[in-house]
Amino acid sequence: MFNFKPNIFKQEIGIDLGTSNTVIFAKSKGIVVDEPSVVAVKKVNRKGEREIIAFGHNAKKMIGRTPVGITTYRPLSYGVIADFDMTKAMMEHYMNEAAKSGVFSHPSVAVCVPANVTEVEKRAVVEVTLAAGAREAFVVEEPIAAARGIDLPIDDAQGCMIVSMGGGNCEVAVLSLGGIVTNQSVRVAGESIDDAIVTMMRQKYMLAIGDITAEEVKMAVGAVVPLEQELKIDVKGLGLTSGLPEVVQVTSTEVRETMEPIIAQIGDAIRATLEITPPELVRDIVDQGIVLSGGLSQLRGINIRFADALNVPVHIAEEPRYAVAKGLGKILELPRSKNISNVPVGSNVNSGKE
């Protein structure tokens, strides 16, 4: 564990560096950045040199719409860094955006990581954060940050269970006395559902659609339990047989059937975590229930589905998309010896910036 003394003259921020979205929380200011984790790059010469032309929402609008020479990237995959340079540039840009909200330059930064990442992956997160302009950086495991963000009593001698469902992966954890007792992680989440919808439209309707359209379908009619009145949406795409634009009406029933294998896999991970949880902690979980956080927890009826399958009350956190970022903000107010992961010695260092 690292022991840093609080310094009231330092600006501290928490960064939820997610596969789909990056959220930055600044102490005393709240959420100051909420942008997609997307970068658009333009090839500038034949040597392969590239120039970044857009970040976040502006870059996401370009997905599937770029001409030759422009490419969109998601620099994170399954919650870990897939492209160091792109992640560095993206973080630097968002930290500068946070500075426009009154955050000082070169802040101390807490960054969340999945609970099951390797020490090498933790070190990479710290190094990219320092390279992006942080004065110092440390990592916090995502389930702990999310639990702090929704005020679960994880410091007490009782079991709390949280399921953090984002874009790239799903983290299931039981916490007690400030730490993780048992946890499971599955690499399926929001983006997996988008991919499944794309595949369903291609196979069932011979209609080609992009990831952005699939995400819109998921948000508009996605439900994991039958609805009293099923929803419908007109989906526009390219007919694979005609080669012409076509419009197909899709119902929430079809989307639910498409999502079912992915939702079932997440449910299996929750069940597997409960099976290896000490009985006294299971008793606590039955009493207070399981809490869902992350963007995917906003799917219609997901808490009902899991509650029926697991025989345990399931609740959705308030503002679930921001649970991790808010938790990082609360952790920044604690002594550094609490809830901070053991990254390799030397990874958490002062950048030398003044």
Side-chain angles (χ1 to χ4, degrees):
M1 296 291 181
F2 297 105
N3 254 321
F4 295 116
K5 295 180 180 180
N7 185 338
I8 61 174
F9 298 107
K10 286 184 178 179
Q11 179 66 51
E12 298 180 319
I13 63 175
I15 301 181
D16 177 7
L17 190 62
T19 304
S20 296
N21 293 280
T22 296
V23 180
I24 297 181
F25 182 96
K27 289 175 64 175
S28 76
K29 296 182 182 299
I31 303 296
V32 294
V33 171
D34 179 10
E35 293 271 357
S37 299
V38 184
V39 180
V41 176
K42 181 179 180 180
K43 184 178 179 181
V44 296
N45 57 38
R46 295 181 179 179
K47 295 180 181 179
E49 295 180 356
R50 303 178 296 178
E51 173 189 0
I52 296 176
I53 59 173
F55 297 93
H57 290 295
N58 290 333
K60 188 174 181 179
K61 292 176 183 177
M62 300 180 187
I63 295 177
R65 296 184 171 99
T66 57
V68 175
I70 296 179
T71 307
T72 55
Y73 291 93
R74 292 189 181 271
L76 292 112
S77 177
Y78 303 114
V80 297
I81 295 170
D83 187 315
F84 186 94
D85 292 336
M86 290 296 162
T87 303
K88 169 184 172 294
M90 184 180 72
M91 288 188 70
E92 185 175 12
H93 174 77
Y94 290 152
M95 287 167 65
N96 289 336
E97 289 295 307
K100 294 178 182 178
S101 302
V103 177
F104 301 146
S105 60
H106 309 310
S108 298
V109 180
V111 191
C112 75
V113 295
N116 65 337
V117 298
T118 66
E119 296 300 317
V120 172
E121 289 168 334
K122 288 180 182 179
R123 178 186 288 274
V125 170
V126 171
E127 290 179 349
V128 77
T129 306
L130 293 174
R135 182 185 300 272
E136 60 182 0
F138 58 90
V139 295
V140 179
E141 292 171 329
E142 183 177 327
I144 290 178
R148 292 279 185 198
I150 57 181
D151 294 321
L152 290 181
I154 64 172
D155 289 327
D156 299 340
Q158 67 178 39
C160 301
M161 189 170 198
I162 187 161
V163 183
S164 181
M165 300 181 289
N169 65 324
C170 176
E171 296 266 329
V172 185
V174 175
L175 304 101
S176 180
L177 294 173
I180 296 175
V181 180
T182 59
N183 76 287
Q184 297 276 337
S185 179
V186 288
R187 290 191 167 188
V188 294
E191 291 186 0
S192 303
I193 291 176
D194 297 343
D195 293 340
I197 292 173
V198 170
T199 301
M200 182 271 288
M201 295 301 298
R202 180 177 289 269
Q203 294 178 347
K204 186 172 183 178
Y205 292 106
M206 298 297 289
L207 188 75
I209 64 172
D211 294 338
I212 301 300
T213 301
E215 183 181 19
E216 292 172 353
V217 171
K218 176 183 67 180
M219 295 173 65
V221 301
V224 297
V225 295
L227 303 175
E228 289 186 9
Q229 184 173 356
E230 296 295 341
L231 305 174
K232 298 178 182 180
I233 185 174
D234 289 336
V235 182
K236 303 169 186 177
L238 178 66
L240 296 177
T241 53
S242 67
L244 298 172
E246 294 181 9
V247 180
V248 173
Q249 189 174 80
V250 176
T251 68
S252 53
T253 301
E254 294 171 293
V255 175
R256 181 170 62 253
E257 292 171 353
T258 300
M259 296 190 299
E260 173 57 28
I262 296 166
I263 300 301
Q265 193 171 343
I266 296 172
D268 290 344
I270 301 173
R271 184 187 299 274
T273 305
L274 285 170
E275 288 174 351
I276 59 175
T277 299
E280 292 298 333
L281 296 182
V282 172
R283 172 186 170 182
D284 297 334
I285 293 167
V286 171
D287 287 340
Q288 66 181 12
I290 299 168
V291 183
L292 309 181
S293 70
L296 192 61
S297 67
Q298 298 174 101
L299 277 176
R300 298 170 182 84
I302 194 166
N303 58 324
I304 298 172
R305 161 65 190 276
F306 288 151
D308 290 344
L310 301 167
N311 199 31
V312 178
V314 179
H315 315 288
I316 299 175
E318 184 178 350
E319 293 189 304
R321 288 187 61 245
Y322 299 137
V324 171
K326 288 182 176 181
L328 291 172
K330 292 177 181 179
I331 287 170
L332 288 169
E333 298 174 355
L334 299 173
R336 289 290 193 269
S337 59
K338 284 190 176 184
N339 301 321
I340 297 174
S341 299
N342 280 310
V343 297
V345 175
S347 289
N348 187 45
V349 296
N350 193 300
S351 66
K353 297 181 177 69
E354 298 297 337

